[in-house]
Structure formats: structure tokens, C-alpha cells
Amino acid sequence: MMMSEIKALSPEIKRRVLKMQQNELTEYHIYTKVAGFVKNPDNKATLLKIANEEHRHCQIWESFTKEKVQPLQWKIWWYTLLSVIFGYTFALKLMEGNEGDAAYNYEEIAAEIPQAQKIAEDEDRHEQQLLAILDEERLQYVGSMVLGLNDALVELTGTLAGLTLALQNTKLIALSGLITGVSATLSMASSEFLSARSEGREDALKSCTYTGIAYCITVALLVLPYLIFDDEHYLHALGTMLLTVVLIILVFTYYISVAKDLDFKKRFWEMAIISLSVAAFSFVIGLLVKEALGIDI
């Protein structure tokens, strides 16, 4: 279609096209920025290729709207930050996933702009290309992170819940939890190291490091409520600790689900039910032990 043959868009369609135009330009800048700190040359090339396509789409929309747009700086900043903190695979898949509503826009404007359908097909291909960019180091060791996180959640949740009723002393519970947590962290990390070495893996040290870090961070977050509340509010500390458990599971499960294309709800409920069930069981055990031994601290 020649520029002279382009018909004026209806007001509603033009509004939508301008929004799409701005979105494409924004994502062009996001892909370009993220590609700037990606070390893998193949991944960098793929990201730059997608960025160029996004820019081309923006130019197509501009040929219809006859207007210039500015990128959304906050969106560029946000997804760049997510890429730095959680990895570019998570950030870009999250961004692509949020484009679901855009598909309806493509279909609705295709009547006035036939190229819209081609752009929609390009967007689908973008998602497929991104699936191949799953060789980030942090995702290669996600199994080790899951191992450390799951073990810490189950073991520490049960330990702290049991100690809460048995001791009813927040500082003593925190001390016991920290000692247990540090010992368990070293045990889990060393076990992961030996397991990886027995399999002949050269990344045994990195694997055990990711396991240990996940475990250590979890221990710190679960023990923290007992350092904040005093002895009279030991049940508040328990409740805060359990809420922290749910939030950790929520955040981590969401991260894994987006980055690895897994079922979020199923994994979340599995981890939450196991951890909270162990906490409830240990809570009862702590009460029974306290009564049976006649301990009063």
C-alpha cells in the first residue's frame, strides 16, 4: 500500500493504533537496553533482531497515524530493573505475556489496517524466539534454588512453629532457629556439592552456592519476626512467620512459572499446603512436648 493510498483512520481505531505504536516503540527500547548487558552473543543477536522488528512495527503504525509518539519511560525503567534483579528471561516473558490484550486490538483494527495481522504473527514469533533464551545461569541452577528453598521452608517452618509453643520466648526461638538454620544451610550446601561431584559435574561449587544462598535467605526471613516481636507477642511472631512463608512461596513460584512456563496455581498450592501442614503438625507437637515434660520458660 502506497503512502498516498493510506486512508484516514476512524477516531477509535486511530486511538488504539497510537497506543500500539507507543507500545512497540517502548518495547524496542526495552529489548535494546536488555541486549546491552546480555553476554551470550546468540541471545544478544536475537534480542536485537526482535528490537528491530518492534521498531519496524512502530514505523508501520506511524505511517497510518501520521503522528510521532514518545516511549513509556517508566515501562522501560521497570522491565530493565526486573531484568537486572530477576534475569532477562523472566522480565521479557512477563512483558510478552502482558501483551495478551494487544491481540484483540490487532484483530479489531485489521479491517482498516491489513498489516495488523502480519504484525500479530510477528509478535507470536517473538514469544517462540524468547523460549530459546533460557540459558541464563540463574535458570540453569533453578533446581538447586528450589531444593534449598523447599527444604528451608519445610524444615524451618516446622521447627519455628514447634518451638513457638514449646518455648514462648521469641528471642530464644530466634536463637534456636538461627542455629538450626545455619547448620541446615551448611548441610544442604555440602550435600548438593557432593551430589554434583558424584555425578561428575564441573559446576558443583556453583550448584551448592545457589542452594546455600536460597536456604540462607529463607532462614533469615523466617527468623526475622521473632527478632521483631517481644515475648508477650510470640503468637504474632508465629503468624507473621507463616505469612512470610506464603509470600515467599508466592513470589518464587510466580518467578519460576513465568520463566519456565509452568503451572503457577498447582505449584503454589502444593508448596503452601506442605509447608503449612508441617507447621501445624509441629505446632501441636510443641504443645504436647511442653505439657508432657512440664517445661515452663
Side-chain angles (χ1 to χ4, degrees):
M1 181 180 294
M2 300 298 291
M3 293 293 293
S4 60
E5 298 175 344
I6 296 177
K7 297 180 180 180
L9 302 176
S10 60
E12 175 61 20
I13 293 299
K14 183 175 181 179
R15 183 187 66 81
R16 294 184 182 183
V17 173
L18 280 171
K19 183 177 179 180
M20 301 297 293
Q21 180 181 337
Q22 184 180 50
N23 188 60
E24 300 286 5
L25 182 60
T26 300
E27 293 188 359
Y28 159 73
H29 285 287
I30 293 173
Y31 279 113
T32 302
K33 272 186 170 292
V34 172
F37 57 78
V38 172
K39 296 180 179 179
N40 184 295
D42 293 331
N43 292 340
K44 182 187 290 288
T46 300
L47 291 173
L48 289 175
K49 179 180 179 181
I50 297 175
N52 290 332
E53 288 191 2
E54 297 285 9
H55 192 259
R56 182 172 60 82
H57 296 164
C58 176
Q59 291 176 324
I60 293 175
W61 297 134
E62 186 179 332
S63 70
F64 285 91
T65 63
K66 307 294 192 302
E67 293 185 20
K68 294 283 187 180
V69 296
Q70 295 299 318
L72 296 172
Q73 294 298 331
W74 69 266
K75 189 174 181 180
I76 297 173
W77 176 85
W78 174 244
Y79 283 106
T80 302
L81 179 64
L82 288 181
S83 297
V84 173
I85 298 176
F86 297 106
Y88 60 85
T89 300
F90 170 81
L92 297 180
K93 281 198 169 187
L94 181 64
M95 182 177 71
E96 289 289 341
N98 289 337
E99 287 185 351
D101 293 337
Y104 296 101
N105 287 336
Y106 287 136
E107 294 175 1
E108 291 170 0
I109 66 178
E112 295 189 32
I113 305 178
Q115 289 95 324
Q117 189 59 44
K118 177 63 169 60
I119 294 177
E121 294 173 358
D122 287 344
E123 293 294 344
D124 290 338
R125 190 172 71 256
H126 287 178
E127 294 183 7
Q128 296 303 316
Q129 289 175 326
L130 284 173
L131 291 177
I133 311 179
L134 288 177
D135 58 352
E136 283 187 280
E137 183 175 278
R138 69 189 72 192
L139 289 180
Q140 291 175 359
Y141 296 101
V142 73
S144 299
M145 294 167 63
V146 170
L147 177 64
L149 183 75
N150 285 351
D151 193 85
L153 285 174
V154 173
E155 183 173 346
L156 261 296
T157 300
T159 299
L160 292 173
L163 290 174
T164 299
L165 250 292
L167 302 180
Q168 299 182 11
N169 182 312
T170 54
K171 299 301 181 288
L172 193 55
I173 295 169
L175 177 62
S176 302
L178 283 173
I179 293 174
T180 302
V182 171
S183 300
T185 298
L186 297 175
S187 175
M188 280 295 299
S190 59
S191 296
E192 177 67 12
F193 177 80
L194 293 174
S195 176
R197 286 295 295 271
S198 68
E199 296 173 0
R201 290 164 51 188
E202 297 181 356
D203 62 345
L205 182 59
K206 282 187 177 181
S207 181
C208 78
T209 299
Y210 275 96
T211 301
I213 290 175
Y215 204 114
C216 190
I217 292 176
T218 305
V219 169
L221 291 175
L222 297 189
V223 170
L224 184 60
Y226 292 93
L227 296 174
I228 296 176
F229 291 97
D230 56 28
D231 294 345
E232 294 182 0
H233 298 90
Y234 66 92
L235 290 178
H236 291 72
L238 174 64
T240 304
M241 185 271 290
L242 294 177
L243 178 60
T244 301
V245 168
V246 174
L247 290 176
I248 291 174
I249 294 174
L250 179 68
V251 172
F252 190 76
T253 303
Y254 182 69
Y255 169 77
I256 296 300
S257 299
V258 172
K260 305 286 284 185
D261 295 321
L262 300 174
D263 189 315
F264 168 72
K265 290 184 179 180
K266 179 180 179 180
R267 295 179 65 84
F268 170 75
W269 285 113
E270 283 180 351
M271 291 183 65
I273 290 174
I274 291 174
S275 296
L276 296 179
S277 296
V278 170
F281 182 75
S282 300
F283 190 83
V284 174
I285 293 297
L287 178 61
L288 294 177
V289 170
K290 177 180 174 63
E291 294 298 326
L293 299 180
I295 297 175
D296 187 15
I297 298 179

PDB file of all heavy atoms in Angstrom, residues 121-147:
ATOM      1  N   GLU A 121       1.293 -11.886  13.830  1.00  0.00           N
ATOM      2  CA  GLU A 121       2.076 -13.098  13.605  1.00  0.00           C
ATOM      3  C   GLU A 121       3.519 -12.902  14.050  1.00  0.00           C
ATOM      4  O   GLU A 121       4.145 -13.810  14.599  1.00  0.00           O
ATOM      5  CB  GLU A 121       2.018 -13.483  12.125  1.00  0.00           C
ATOM      6  CG  GLU A 121       0.625 -13.899  11.662  1.00  0.00           C
ATOM      7  CD  GLU A 121       0.551 -14.104  10.153  1.00  0.00           C
ATOM      8  OE1 GLU A 121       1.587 -13.887   9.483  1.00  0.00           O
ATOM      9  OE2 GLU A 121      -0.527 -14.478   9.653  1.00  0.00           O
ATOM     10  N   ASP A 122       4.066 -11.704  13.804  1.00  0.00           N
ATOM     11  CA  ASP A 122       5.424 -11.402  14.255  1.00  0.00           C
ATOM     12  C   ASP A 122       5.528 -11.474  15.768  1.00  0.00           C
ATOM     13  O   ASP A 122       6.510 -11.991  16.323  1.00  0.00           O
ATOM     14  CB  ASP A 122       5.847 -10.003  13.785  1.00  0.00           C
ATOM     15  CG  ASP A 122       6.147  -9.960  12.289  1.00  0.00           C
ATOM     16  OD1 ASP A 122       6.313 -11.037  11.702  1.00  0.00           O
ATOM     17  OD2 ASP A 122       6.198  -8.845  11.732  1.00  0.00           O
ATOM     18  N   GLU A 123       4.501 -10.977  16.468  1.00  0.00           N
ATOM     19  CA  GLU A 123       4.512 -10.990  17.921  1.00  0.00           C
ATOM     20  C   GLU A 123       4.506 -12.421  18.446  1.00  0.00           C
ATOM     21  O   GLU A 123       5.185 -12.746  19.422  1.00  0.00           O
ATOM     22  CB  GLU A 123       3.297 -10.225  18.471  1.00  0.00           C
ATOM     23  CG  GLU A 123       3.320  -8.743  18.194  1.00  0.00           C
ATOM     24  CD  GLU A 123       4.455  -8.033  18.917  1.00  0.00           C
ATOM     25  OE1 GLU A 123       5.036  -8.619  19.850  1.00  0.00           O
ATOM     26  OE2 GLU A 123       4.767  -6.896  18.561  1.00  0.00           O
ATOM     27  N   ASP A 124       3.737 -13.308  17.801  1.00  0.00           N
ATOM     28  CA  ASP A 124       3.724 -14.713  18.197  1.00  0.00           C
ATOM     29  C   ASP A 124       5.105 -15.333  18.020  1.00  0.00           C
ATOM     30  O   ASP A 124       5.551 -16.137  18.842  1.00  0.00           O
ATOM     31  CB  ASP A 124       2.695 -15.496  17.373  1.00  0.00           C
ATOM     32  CG  ASP A 124       1.265 -15.123  17.750  1.00  0.00           C
ATOM     33  OD1 ASP A 124       1.068 -14.617  18.870  1.00  0.00           O
ATOM     34  OD2 ASP A 124       0.367 -15.328  16.914  1.00  0.00           O
ATOM     35  N   ARG A 125       5.774 -14.957  16.934  1.00  0.00           N
ATOM     36  CA  ARG A 125       7.109 -15.491  16.693  1.00  0.00           C
ATOM     37  C   ARG A 125       8.099 -14.985  17.737  1.00  0.00           C
ATOM     38  O   ARG A 125       9.026 -15.704  18.129  1.00  0.00           O
ATOM     39  CB  ARG A 125       7.583 -15.108  15.281  1.00  0.00           C
ATOM     40  CG  ARG A 125       8.872 -15.844  14.871  1.00  0.00           C
ATOM     41  CD  ARG A 125       9.236 -15.611  13.417  1.00  0.00           C
ATOM     42  NE  ARG A 125       9.698 -14.252  13.176  1.00  0.00           N
ATOM     43  CZ  ARG A 125       8.974 -13.304  12.587  1.00  0.00           C
ATOM     44  NH1 ARG A 125       7.735 -13.570  12.204  1.00  0.00           N
ATOM     45  NH2 ARG A 125       9.463 -12.095  12.389  1.00  0.00           N
ATOM     46  N   HIS A 126       7.886 -13.755  18.210  1.00  0.00           N
ATOM     47  CA  HIS A 126       8.750 -13.202  19.254  1.00  0.00           C
ATOM     48  C   HIS A 126       8.747 -14.117  20.480  1.00  0.00           C
ATOM     49  O   HIS A 126       9.784 -14.424  21.048  1.00  0.00           O
ATOM     50  CB  HIS A 126       8.262 -11.825  19.669  1.00  0.00           C
ATOM     51  CG  HIS A 126       8.532 -10.773  18.635  1.00  0.00           C
ATOM     52  ND1 HIS A 126       8.137  -9.463  18.805  1.00  0.00           N
ATOM     53  CD2 HIS A 126       9.142 -10.823  17.427  1.00  0.00           C
ATOM     54  CE1 HIS A 126       8.502  -8.759  17.742  1.00  0.00           C
ATOM     55  NE2 HIS A 126       9.090  -9.567  16.895  1.00  0.00           N
ATOM     56  N   GLU A 127       7.551 -14.554  20.866  1.00  0.00           N
ATOM     57  CA  GLU A 127       7.433 -15.393  22.048  1.00  0.00           C
ATOM     58  C   GLU A 127       8.176 -16.707  21.846  1.00  0.00           C
ATOM     59  O   GLU A 127       8.838 -17.205  22.752  1.00  0.00           O
ATOM     60  CB  GLU A 127       5.962 -15.652  22.358  1.00  0.00           C
ATOM     61  CG  GLU A 127       5.200 -14.393  22.777  1.00  0.00           C
ATOM     62  CD  GLU A 127       3.766 -14.692  23.140  1.00  0.00           C
ATOM     63  OE1 GLU A 127       3.405 -15.884  23.184  1.00  0.00           O
ATOM     64  OE2 GLU A 127       3.008 -13.745  23.385  1.00  0.00           O
ATOM     65  N   GLN A 128       8.083 -17.297  20.663  1.00  0.00           N
ATOM     66  CA  GLN A 128       8.775 -18.541  20.379  1.00  0.00           C
ATOM     67  C   GLN A 128      10.295 -18.346  20.422  1.00  0.00           C
ATOM     68  O   GLN A 128      11.026 -19.209  20.900  1.00  0.00           O
ATOM     69  CB  GLN A 128       8.348 -19.081  19.003  1.00  0.00           C
ATOM     70  CG  GLN A 128       6.882 -19.462  18.911  1.00  0.00           C
ATOM     71  CD  GLN A 128       6.480 -20.483  19.947  1.00  0.00           C
ATOM     72  OE1 GLN A 128       7.203 -21.459  20.177  1.00  0.00           O
ATOM     73  NE2 GLN A 128       5.341 -20.278  20.584  1.00  0.00           N
ATOM     74  N   GLN A 129      10.760 -17.225  19.912  1.00  0.00           N
ATOM     75  CA  GLN A 129      12.192 -16.949  19.949  1.00  0.00           C
ATOM     76  C   GLN A 129      12.684 -16.782  21.377  1.00  0.00           C
ATOM     77  O   GLN A 129      13.770 -17.227  21.742  1.00  0.00           O
ATOM     78  CB  GLN A 129      12.509 -15.689  19.131  1.00  0.00           C
ATOM     79  CG  GLN A 129      12.362 -15.892  17.632  1.00  0.00           C
ATOM     80  CD  GLN A 129      12.563 -14.596  16.854  1.00  0.00           C
ATOM     81  OE1 GLN A 129      12.218 -13.517  17.325  1.00  0.00           O
ATOM     82  NE2 GLN A 129      13.107 -14.708  15.653  1.00  0.00           N
ATOM     83  N   LEU A 130      11.858 -16.142  22.185  1.00  0.00           N
ATOM     84  CA  LEU A 130      12.258 -15.933  23.574  1.00  0.00           C
ATOM     85  C   LEU A 130      12.350 -17.247  24.341  1.00  0.00           C
ATOM     86  O   LEU A 130      13.125 -17.370  25.286  1.00  0.00           O
ATOM     87  CB  LEU A 130      11.257 -14.998  24.264  1.00  0.00           C
ATOM     88  CG  LEU A 130      11.392 -13.517  23.913  1.00  0.00           C
ATOM     89  CD1 LEU A 130      10.238 -12.728  24.510  1.00  0.00           C
ATOM     90  CD2 LEU A 130      12.711 -12.968  24.421  1.00  0.00           C
ATOM     91  N   LEU A 131      11.563 -18.234  23.951  1.00  0.00           N
ATOM     92  CA  LEU A 131      11.625 -19.528  24.614  1.00  0.00           C
ATOM     93  C   LEU A 131      13.009 -20.155  24.498  1.00  0.00           C
ATOM     94  O   LEU A 131      13.413 -20.956  25.339  1.00  0.00           O
ATOM     95  CB  LEU A 131      10.571 -20.484  24.011  1.00  0.00           C
ATOM     96  CG  LEU A 131       9.107 -20.149  24.304  1.00  0.00           C
ATOM     97  CD1 LEU A 131       8.200 -21.138  23.586  1.00  0.00           C
ATOM     98  CD2 LEU A 131       8.841 -20.189  25.798  1.00  0.00           C
ATOM     99  N   ALA A 132      13.722 -19.794  23.444  1.00  0.00           N
ATOM    100  CA  ALA A 132      15.061 -20.351  23.233  1.00  0.00           C
ATOM    101  C   ALA A 132      16.111 -19.648  24.088  1.00  0.00           C
ATOM    102  O   ALA A 132      17.245 -20.108  24.173  1.00  0.00           O
ATOM    103  CB  ALA A 132      15.447 -20.244  21.758  1.00  0.00           C
ATOM    104  N   ILE A 133      15.739 -18.532  24.725  1.00  0.00           N
ATOM    105  CA  ILE A 133      16.710 -17.778  25.519  1.00  0.00           C
ATOM    106  C   ILE A 133      16.591 -18.202  26.978  1.00  0.00           C
ATOM    107  O   ILE A 133      16.316 -17.402  27.863  1.00  0.00           O
ATOM    108  CB  ILE A 133      16.492 -16.258  25.373  1.00  0.00           C
ATOM    109  CG1 ILE A 133      16.375 -15.882  23.902  1.00  0.00           C
ATOM    110  CG2 ILE A 133      17.630 -15.477  25.989  1.00  0.00           C
ATOM    111  CD1 ILE A 133      16.124 -14.408  23.682  1.00  0.00           C
ATOM    112  N   LEU A 134      16.773 -19.469  27.238  1.00  0.00           N
ATOM    113  CA  LEU A 134      16.637 -19.988  28.594  1.00  0.00           C
ATOM    114  C   LEU A 134      17.961 -20.569  29.094  1.00  0.00           C
ATOM    115  O   LEU A 134      17.985 -21.608  29.733  1.00  0.00           O
ATOM    116  CB  LEU A 134      15.542 -21.057  28.647  1.00  0.00           C
ATOM    117  CG  LEU A 134      14.110 -20.566  28.527  1.00  0.00           C
ATOM    118  CD1 LEU A 134      13.146 -21.735  28.519  1.00  0.00           C
ATOM    119  CD2 LEU A 134      13.770 -19.616  29.660  1.00  0.00           C
ATOM    120  N   ASP A 135      19.065 -19.946  28.766  1.00  0.00           N
ATOM    121  CA  ASP A 135      20.351 -20.451  29.224  1.00  0.00           C
ATOM    122  C   ASP A 135      21.031 -19.492  30.188  1.00  0.00           C
ATOM    123  O   ASP A 135      22.243 -19.487  30.334  1.00  0.00           O
ATOM    124  CB  ASP A 135      21.270 -20.735  28.030  1.00  0.00           C
ATOM    125  CG  ASP A 135      21.496 -19.500  27.166  1.00  0.00           C
ATOM    126  OD1 ASP A 135      20.830 -18.479  27.416  1.00  0.00           O
ATOM    127  OD2 ASP A 135      22.348 -19.560  26.268  1.00  0.00           O
ATOM    128  N   GLU A 136      20.226 -18.658  30.857  1.00  0.00           N
ATOM    129  CA  GLU A 136      20.787 -17.820  31.912  1.00  0.00           C
ATOM    130  C   GLU A 136      21.299 -18.711  33.036  1.00  0.00           C
ATOM    131  O   GLU A 136      20.701 -19.737  33.356  1.00  0.00           O
ATOM    132  CB  GLU A 136      19.724 -16.884  32.469  1.00  0.00           C
ATOM    133  CG  GLU A 136      19.411 -15.695  31.613  1.00  0.00           C
ATOM    134  CD  GLU A 136      18.465 -14.742  32.331  1.00  0.00           C
ATOM    135  OE1 GLU A 136      17.257 -15.011  32.335  1.00  0.00           O
ATOM    136  OE2 GLU A 136      18.955 -13.745  32.868  1.00  0.00           O
ATOM    137  N   GLU A 137      22.367 -18.296  33.657  1.00  0.00           N
ATOM    138  CA  GLU A 137      22.953 -19.096  34.722  1.00  0.00           C
ATOM    139  C   GLU A 137      21.967 -19.336  35.854  1.00  0.00           C
ATOM    140  O   GLU A 137      21.845 -20.445  36.366  1.00  0.00           O
ATOM    141  CB  GLU A 137      24.205 -18.402  35.272  1.00  0.00           C
ATOM    142  CG  GLU A 137      24.911 -19.213  36.343  1.00  0.00           C
ATOM    143  CD  GLU A 137      26.202 -18.571  36.792  1.00  0.00           C
ATOM    144  OE1 GLU A 137      27.219 -18.746  36.108  1.00  0.00           O
ATOM    145  OE2 GLU A 137      26.187 -17.873  37.826  1.00  0.00           O
ATOM    146  N   ARG A 138      21.219 -18.293  36.229  1.00  0.00           N
ATOM    147  CA  ARG A 138      20.302 -18.435  37.352  1.00  0.00           C
ATOM    148  C   ARG A 138      19.187 -19.423  37.051  1.00  0.00           C
ATOM    149  O   ARG A 138      18.660 -20.069  37.951  1.00  0.00           O
ATOM    150  CB  ARG A 138      19.726 -17.077  37.753  1.00  0.00           C
ATOM    151  CG  ARG A 138      18.776 -16.455  36.779  1.00  0.00           C
ATOM    152  CD  ARG A 138      18.451 -15.031  37.174  1.00  0.00           C
ATOM    153  NE  ARG A 138      19.574 -14.143  36.940  1.00  0.00           N
ATOM    154  CZ  ARG A 138      19.642 -12.899  37.396  1.00  0.00           C
ATOM    155  NH1 ARG A 138      18.682 -12.410  38.118  1.00  0.00           N
ATOM    156  NH2 ARG A 138      20.686 -12.144  37.124  1.00  0.00           N
ATOM    157  N   LEU A 139      18.815 -19.575  35.765  1.00  0.00           N
ATOM    158  CA  LEU A 139      17.788 -20.547  35.412  1.00  0.00           C
ATOM    159  C   LEU A 139      18.367 -21.951  35.276  1.00  0.00           C
ATOM    160  O   LEU A 139      17.670 -22.937  35.470  1.00  0.00           O
ATOM    161  CB  LEU A 139      17.098 -20.131  34.110  1.00  0.00           C
ATOM    162  CG  LEU A 139      16.189 -18.902  34.217  1.00  0.00           C
ATOM    163  CD1 LEU A 139      15.576 -18.585  32.866  1.00  0.00           C
ATOM    164  CD2 LEU A 139      15.108 -19.112  35.256  1.00  0.00           C
ATOM    165  N   GLN A 140      19.642 -22.044  34.943  1.00  0.00           N
ATOM    166  CA  GLN A 140      20.283 -23.351  34.873  1.00  0.00           C
ATOM    167  C   GLN A 140      20.345 -23.990  36.257  1.00  0.00           C
ATOM    168  O   GLN A 140      20.320 -25.215  36.389  1.00  0.00           O
ATOM    169  CB  GLN A 140      21.695 -23.208  34.301  1.00  0.00           C
ATOM    170  CG  GLN A 140      21.746 -22.817  32.832  1.00  0.00           C
ATOM    171  CD  GLN A 140      23.163 -22.582  32.340  1.00  0.00           C
ATOM    172  OE1 GLN A 140      24.119 -22.689  33.088  1.00  0.00           O
ATOM    173  NE2 GLN A 140      23.292 -22.242  31.068  1.00  0.00           N
ATOM    174  N   TYR A 141      20.416 -23.142  37.278  1.00  0.00           N
ATOM    175  CA  TYR A 141      20.526 -23.656  38.640  1.00  0.00           C
ATOM    176  C   TYR A 141      19.239 -23.487  39.432  1.00  0.00           C
ATOM    177  O   TYR A 141      19.255 -23.503  40.660  1.00  0.00           O
ATOM    178  CB  TYR A 141      21.675 -22.948  39.364  1.00  0.00           C
ATOM    179  CG  TYR A 141      23.019 -23.231  38.740  1.00  0.00           C
ATOM    180  CD1 TYR A 141      23.620 -22.302  37.889  1.00  0.00           C
ATOM    181  CD2 TYR A 141      23.661 -24.440  38.953  1.00  0.00           C
ATOM    182  CE1 TYR A 141      24.839 -22.563  37.297  1.00  0.00           C
ATOM    183  CE2 TYR A 141      24.887 -24.716  38.362  1.00  0.00           C
ATOM    184  CZ  TYR A 141      25.468 -23.770  37.537  1.00  0.00           C
ATOM    185  OH  TYR A 141      26.667 -24.045  36.941  1.00  0.00           O
ATOM    186  N   VAL A 142      18.132 -23.331  38.722  1.00  0.00           N
ATOM    187  CA  VAL A 142      16.864 -23.136  39.413  1.00  0.00           C
ATOM    188  C   VAL A 142      16.498 -24.377  40.218  1.00  0.00           C
ATOM    189  O   VAL A 142      15.860 -24.282  41.274  1.00  0.00           O
ATOM    190  CB  VAL A 142      15.747 -22.782  38.408  1.00  0.00           C
ATOM    191  CG1 VAL A 142      15.343 -23.997  37.580  1.00  0.00           C
ATOM    192  CG2 VAL A 142      14.548 -22.194  39.133  1.00  0.00           C
ATOM    193  N   GLY A 143      16.924 -25.556  39.767  1.00  0.00           N
ATOM    194  CA  GLY A 143      16.668 -26.785  40.521  1.00  0.00           C
ATOM    195  C   GLY A 143      17.334 -26.735  41.878  1.00  0.00           C
ATOM    196  O   GLY A 143      16.756 -27.163  42.890  1.00  0.00           O
ATOM    197  N   SER A 144      18.556 -26.207  41.928  1.00  0.00           N
ATOM    198  CA  SER A 144      19.268 -26.080  43.194  1.00  0.00           C
ATOM    199  C   SER A 144      18.583 -25.069  44.102  1.00  0.00           C
ATOM    200  O   SER A 144      18.491 -25.254  45.317  1.00  0.00           O
ATOM    201  CB  SER A 144      20.720 -25.647  42.939  1.00  0.00           C
ATOM    202  OG  SER A 144      21.407 -26.604  42.159  1.00  0.00           O
ATOM    203  N   MET A 145      18.083 -23.989  43.506  1.00  0.00           N
ATOM    204  CA  MET A 145      17.380 -22.974  44.287  1.00  0.00           C
ATOM    205  C   MET A 145      16.090 -23.537  44.870  1.00  0.00           C
ATOM    206  O   MET A 145      15.752 -23.279  46.034  1.00  0.00           O
ATOM    207  CB  MET A 145      17.085 -21.764  43.405  1.00  0.00           C
ATOM    208  CG  MET A 145      18.322 -21.019  42.946  1.00  0.00           C
ATOM    209  SD  MET A 145      17.977 -19.841  41.604  1.00  0.00           S
ATOM    210  CE  MET A 145      16.867 -18.706  42.429  1.00  0.00           C
ATOM    211  N   VAL A 146      15.357 -24.315  44.065  1.00  0.00           N
ATOM    212  CA  VAL A 146      14.117 -24.931  44.538  1.00  0.00           C
ATOM    213  C   VAL A 146      14.409 -25.888  45.681  1.00  0.00           C
ATOM    214  O   VAL A 146      13.683 -25.923  46.688  1.00  0.00           O
ATOM    215  CB  VAL A 146      13.403 -25.677  43.387  1.00  0.00           C
ATOM    216  CG1 VAL A 146      12.258 -26.519  43.924  1.00  0.00           C
ATOM    217  CG2 VAL A 146      12.887 -24.689  42.364  1.00  0.00           C
ATOM    218  N   LEU A 147      15.494 -26.665  45.539  1.00  0.00           N
ATOM    219  CA  LEU A 147      15.874 -27.619  46.581  1.00  0.00           C
ATOM    220  C   LEU A 147      16.141 -26.897  47.900  1.00  0.00           C
ATOM    221  O   LEU A 147      15.629 -27.284  48.950  1.00  0.00           O
ATOM    222  CB  LEU A 147      17.130 -28.386  46.148  1.00  0.00           C
ATOM    223  CG  LEU A 147      17.695 -29.388  47.171  1.00  0.00           C
ATOM    224  CD1 LEU A 147      16.694 -30.510  47.419  1.00  0.00           C
ATOM    225  CD2 LEU A 147      19.017 -29.965  46.672  1.00  0.00           C
TER     226      LEU A 147
END
